[in-house]
Amino acid sequence: MQKETVMEKPSMALVPSSRGFAKTIGMVFFYAILIVLALFQILPLVWLLFFSLKNNQEVFNTPLLSLPSPPRWENYVKVWVEGNIGQYFFNSVWITTVSVVLTVLLASFATFAITRMNWKWKHVVLGLFMVGLMIPIHSTLIPLFSFFMKMNLIDHPLSIVLTNIGFNLPITIMILLGFYQSFPRELEESAVMDGCSVHRMFFRIILPMTAPVIVTTTIINMIYNWNEFVFVNTFISSDEFKTLTVGIQNFIGQYTTDWGAIGATLMISVLPILIVFFFLSDKIMEGITAGAIKG
Amino acid sequence: MNKMMSDKKVIALYVLPPLLLLMILVYIPIVMTGYYSLMKWDGIGSMQFIALDNYKQLLQDNMFWKSTYHSFLLALFSVISLAGYLVIALVLAGKIKGANLLRKIYLIPMLLSSVAIAQLWLRIYHPSNGMLNKFLMSLGVDDPPNWLADPKIALYAIFVPIIWQYAGFYILIYYAALKNIPSSIIEAAVIDGANPWQIAYKIKLPLIAGVIKVTIVLAVVGSLKYFDLIYVMTGGGPNGASEVIASYMYQKAFRSFNFGYGSTIAFSLLLICMLMTWLIRKLTNSKEEIQY
């Protein structure tokens, strides 16, 4: 019908095409903004990758963003061997693993009891967890320091595992909540009819069913724990227990003039997260969106 | 069934371990911070009760007000940048090729540790060999600033990587919210002859008003309690030029070992965050929630 109108009045044909032209200009403009932002976000990291493979001479004298030739992989070998990077890396891996497993398990316990069981105070308890999302960690730092001091946990990795769990329980419960609320009550009813105990039901039926959201919360927790800075920086003083995030801070302090070594150290510290992101970006984005309340 | 699912022992077994951790690590410390804020205490020796003396000192402490001003300035910049993220998300959520790849690229900085970001940006701002000044010099700028050493610009120079860190996060949230709008609503508007601007301004934005509200709270509270990059990059310097509330608290407590006064700053930070959350909710709550 529209075609007919246009054909009857040829002069009108100009209107849609000029509108199309304006639209194209608009699209080019918006695309330009999107791409400039993408460059702003990614170029610093490209530059980091390049200078991690150069020596000082090359960093100072070659143009910005010139490819390292030849790439000096020895920078990576050097910091791994000379620095304590291997030790820091190992600490980050085990502290993150233990914290993530315990956080997700405890959060699943709490979410199960809050959404599937019947008791008087469940809304109050849920409220406590949700308000916990808004608490600035700096408002807890001094008492935590003096508490860990009394418990002989200063410079002990348990202080980090505990705070990792405590401060990530709220966000984890929040992500789990929607999933737990979505499955039907009949599920438990049939399990009970089959003579299942609550524990059996939780571990054999509920927990396996929540596998997709457990993956999401695990990845989100992994990123937060891997990157945790303030607690490790405040509670841990010896190299033996430092995580990569805080360890590289000291290490870089000693190498302030060796750009290649600094670049290589930074690359080693961010690579695990980038690799996980490359393979699991959709899960990560899902988790971040679900947990939008944590700033 | 009901009897089994309301067994108090079982419930306690499931709820108490996570709840106790939350109480011991988050809520009790909050109360203790309030208590310590009334004390003169170096963290090791004995405490001395001095009532509100720390708060009186705080009111006259120029450095505290300066750092509070800096924190609010960061909050202001963060909220203003939200408008930009909203525009980008609107474009991205239209039928754009490569939208998925772009929002992944935007998100990458948020996944990196603060220390890595801080160390990277210390290099970017390096006066002679940094990415920024090398770029400026290649454009013919003879004497580019020493970004982090100049008290007039250090604070703003640190805002840039903070924005860099969180841009992708807010774009992602807006994008997800916009994608959640049922397409039937947009189609109906198109049939009624609405143009893209009208659709964005009159239909899409009101529909995601709830999410925008949440992001404003997040941006403001997140800015007010911000610490990491400032601590690593300038430590609040030069001469307090980039000090914020959290970094000032950290310095008083863990550098000067003034735990009592540090607690006063920490408790004030909590009150400021709660007050701002309440205020934003109240200011934005007048409009009715739109259902669809």
Side-chain angles (χ1 to χ4, degrees):
Chain A
M1 217 179 109
Q2 239 177 3
K3 258 185 193 169
E4 258 173 62
T5 331
V6 173
M7 283 204 295
E8 274 169 32
K9 298 173 192 166
S11 61
M12 285 295 285
L14 275 173
V15 178
S17 82
S18 75
R19 215 183 240 173
F21 180 69
K23 211 179 157 189
T24 314
I25 293 287
M27 285 308 286
V28 169
F29 174 69
F30 282 129
Y31 252 115
I33 294 181
L34 294 183
I35 288 166
V36 166
L37 181 66
L39 289 176
F40 176 64
Q41 295 297 92
I42 205 75
L43 276 185
L45 292 165
V46 175
W47 180 66
L48 168 65
L49 173 67
F50 286 0
F51 85 67
S52 75
L53 295 167
K54 292 176 181 177
N55 62 24
N56 272 5
Q57 193 75 25
E58 288 156 347
V59 174
F60 299 162
N61 298 329
T62 57
L64 208 61
L65 294 176
S66 62
L67 281 169
S69 66
R72 299 188 185 275
W73 296 105
E74 59 264 33
N75 289 341
Y76 286 76
V77 178
K78 180 180 159 190
V79 297
W80 190 276
V81 175
E82 278 181 26
N84 232 343
I85 302 287
Q87 172 80 53
Y88 298 148
F89 199 94
F90 171 75
N91 290 341
S92 273
V93 169
W94 84 256
I95 288 177
T96 298
T97 308
V98 173
S99 307
V100 169
V101 169
L102 288 174
T103 309
V104 173
L105 192 66
L106 289 173
S108 295
F109 283 160
T111 315
F112 174 69
I114 288 168
T115 57
R116 315 301 292 187
M117 302 188 77
N118 316 307
W119 43 295
K120 209 173 165 184
W121 298 96
K122 63 182 182 180
H123 295 292
V124 176
V125 170
L126 180 62
L128 282 174
F129 278 109
M130 293 301 106
V131 172
L133 284 165
M134 303 301 284
I135 305 282
I137 56 170
H138 281 84
S139 300
T140 63
L141 212 49
I142 293 171
L144 283 176
F145 184 85
S146 99
F147 171 68
F148 288 137
M149 189 88 113
K150 279 185 199 123
M151 306 298 284
N152 268 325
L153 289 177
I154 287 295
D155 208 18
H156 190 294
L158 190 59
S159 63
I160 303 307
V161 172
L162 283 174
T163 44
N164 276 347
I165 298 172
F167 282 84
N168 285 312
L169 276 174
I171 185 82
T172 311
I173 290 173
M174 190 172 141
I175 300 174
L176 292 175
L177 210 57
F179 202 89
Y180 269 84
Q181 281 163 341
S182 70
F183 44 74
R185 289 237 164 242
E186 287 81 47
L187 195 81
E188 284 118 329
E189 277 163 20
S190 60
V192 172
M193 296 237 241
D194 291 346
C196 232
S197 74
V198 175
H199 307 304
R200 231 179 116 86
M201 181 205 300
F202 176 75
F203 284 102
R204 290 289 173 83
I205 302 172
I206 306 282
L207 213 50
M209 270 191 61
T210 60
V213 74
I214 285 185
V215 173
T216 309
T217 51
T218 300
I219 300 166
I220 292 295
N221 269 289
M222 197 206 109
I223 295 173
Y224 287 147
N225 290 332
W226 186 271
N227 290 341
E228 205 292 311
F229 170 64
V230 176
F231 291 132
V232 180
N233 190 54
T234 312
F235 302 149
I236 302 293
S237 53
S238 57
D239 275 344
E240 202 186 337
F241 300 124
K242 268 180 192 158
T243 58
L244 197 53
T245 304
V246 173
I248 59 168
Q249 174 73 3
N250 301 30
F251 181 69
I252 286 173
Q254 303 160 17
Y255 280 83
T256 38
T257 51
D258 186 344
W259 283 62
I262 292 165
T265 311
L266 291 178
M267 281 305 295
I268 292 173
S269 84
V270 301
L271 222 47
I273 298 288
L274 290 182
I275 290 170
V276 171
F277 184 60
F278 185 80
F279 289 107
L280 295 163
S281 52
D282 288 332
K283 279 279 171 197
I284 291 175
M285 293 198 283
E286 185 190 311
I288 289 174
T289 322
I293 296 302
K294 175 161 178 159
Chain B
M1 167 76 192
N2 274 338
K3 203 174 154 198
M4 220 175 100
M5 295 306 274
S6 30
D7 185 334
K8 291 235 162 58
K9 272 184 203 153
V10 178
I11 292 167
L13 197 62
Y14 280 66
V15 172
L16 281 184
L19 185 61
L20 279 177
L21 279 175
L22 183 79
M23 297 315 277
I24 292 170
L25 295 162
V26 180
Y27 283 101
I28 294 174
I30 289 290
V31 177
M32 294 308 287
T33 300
Y35 173 72
Y36 293 157
S37 73
L38 307 173
M39 303 286 162
K40 188 174 156 68
W41 186 36
D42 61 4
I44 305 152
S46 59
M47 279 182 230
Q48 187 194 338
F49 179 76
I50 52 169
L52 293 174
D53 282 5
N54 280 332
Y55 287 91
K56 281 177 202 152
Q57 189 189 334
L58 192 74
L59 290 176
Q60 289 158 4
D61 183 346
N62 284 333
M63 202 53 233
F64 172 73
W65 290 111
K66 195 172 168 185
S67 56
T68 305
Y69 168 69
H70 292 161
S71 291
F72 273 93
L73 210 55
L74 176 60
L76 182 69
F77 274 77
S78 304
V79 171
I80 291 170
S81 57
L82 287 182
Y85 305 148
L86 202 48
V87 172
I88 285 162
L90 277 166
V91 178
L92 216 52
K95 281 162 192 146
I96 282 262
K97 270 185 203 144
N100 210 29
L101 177 68
L102 281 170
R103 76 195 164 110
K104 279 178 199 172
I105 291 176
Y106 298 158
L107 195 63
I108 289 175
M110 199 223 161
L111 306 171
L112 311 180
S113 75
S114 303
V115 173
I117 292 174
Q119 288 295 346
L120 171 60
W121 280 82
L122 277 174
R123 303 289 131 187
I124 288 175
Y125 283 133
H126 191 277
S128 53
N129 298 308
M131 188 176 169
L132 180 57
N133 279 3
K134 263 195 132 179
F135 175 67
L136 289 175
M137 284 188 272
S138 74
L139 290 180
V141 179
D142 288 333
D143 189 22
N146 187 348
W147 301 93
L148 296 172
D150 185 339
K152 283 198 204 80
I153 47 179
L155 182 69
Y156 301 97
I158 290 197
F159 286 175
V160 175
I162 297 175
I163 299 227
W164 183 77
Q165 186 177 11
Y166 286 108
F169 169 74
Y170 290 109
I171 292 172
L172 178 65
I173 291 174
Y174 288 149
Y175 178 88
L178 288 167
K179 281 285 175 190
N180 257 345
I181 298 176
S183 55
S184 59
I185 295 181
I186 308 299
E187 279 157 21
V190 172
I191 289 168
D192 288 345
N195 65 40
W197 298 107
Q198 288 171 324
I199 292 176
Y201 190 68
K202 296 238 169 91
I203 298 172
K204 288 182 178 170
L205 288 190
L207 283 177
I208 64 162
V211 174
I212 295 175
K213 234 185 277 180
V214 170
T215 55
I216 292 175
V217 173
L218 278 181
V220 169
V221 175
S223 302
L224 292 177
K225 66 184 186 190
Y226 198 81
F227 173 77
D228 292 9
L229 290 195
I230 287 170
Y231 175 77
V232 181
M233 288 176 73
T234 61
N239 198 14
S242 61
E243 197 84 84
V244 292
I245 304 174
S247 64
Y248 188 51
M249 170 260 148
Y250 202 85
Q251 188 211 315
K252 282 289 168 197
F254 296 103
R255 294 283 171 272
S256 320
F257 295 100
N258 198 339
F259 272 39
Y261 194 57
S263 297
T264 309
I265 304 170
F267 202 68
S268 307
L269 173 65
L270 177 74
L271 294 180
I272 291 171
C273 287
M274 282 176 13
L275 185 73
M276 288 308 290
T277 306
W278 174 80
L279 197 66
I280 296 166
R281 292 245 161 95
K282 197 171 162 70
L283 287 176
T284 55
N285 234 359
S286 52
K287 288 161 208 150
E288 281 169 52
E289 287 285 332
I290 295 163
Q291 299 280 328
Y292 56 85

